[in-house]
Amino acid sequence: AMTMRFEDPAADFIPAVKRVFGVEPRVLDGSRAVLVGDVKLTLEAGERELWLVRVLPPALEDWVTMVEVEGDIEAAVRAAKEKLVDV
């Protein structure tokens, strides 16, 4: 019997954020977005894009940069964290 295997980057998104940032993220928007401090990480375009959004008071969002998700969500989260240092 043949087994089908589906890649679901979103399934490992929250644990990956926890591993990379070392904190429990605040989950937003049905597990497709999390808040770590004043930075929102959000999966877009069918989980192919990971966006970093700086959340500014009172309700502004600065969409800083995007990392392509190529199967490995943790690698994308790590790349996003590295880009945070640059902005």
Side-chain angles (χ1 to χ4, degrees), residues 38-56:
D38 66 346
V39 175
K40 180 165 84 172
L41 291 99
T42 181
L43 286 168
E44 300 287 331
E47 281 83 58
R48 290 188 315 274
E49 297 176 358
L50 175 62
W51 279 89
L52 266 82
V53 183
R54 199 170 293 282
V55 180
L56 308 165

Side-chain angles (χ1 to χ4, degrees), residues 33-87:
V34 297
L35 198 61
V36 178
D38 66 346
V39 175
K40 180 165 84 172
L41 291 99
T42 181
L43 286 168
E44 300 287 331
E47 281 83 58
R48 290 188 315 274
E49 297 176 358
L50 175 62
W51 279 89
L52 266 82
V53 183
R54 199 170 293 282
V55 180
L56 308 165
L60 299 171
E61 289 189 341
D62 177 18
W63 288 65
V64 179
T65 189
M66 184 269 288
V67 176
E68 281 191 45
V69 178
E70 293 165 350
D72 185 355
I73 189 70
E74 189 162 341
V77 171
R78 200 175 310 283
K81 185 180 181 190
E82 285 166 13
K83 285 186 177 218
L84 261 180
V85 179
D86 300 337
V87 293

Side-chain angles (χ1 to χ4, degrees), residues 13-50:
F13 179 48
I14 293 160
V17 170
K18 198 187 307 186
R19 286 190 296 270
V20 172
F21 283 88
V23 296
E24 187 75 45
R26 195 168 124 221
V27 180
L28 314 164
D29 193 27
S31 82
R32 295 285 188 257
V34 297
L35 198 61
V36 178
D38 66 346
V39 175
K40 180 165 84 172
L41 291 99
T42 181
L43 286 168
E44 300 287 331
E47 281 83 58
R48 290 188 315 274
E49 297 176 358
L50 175 62

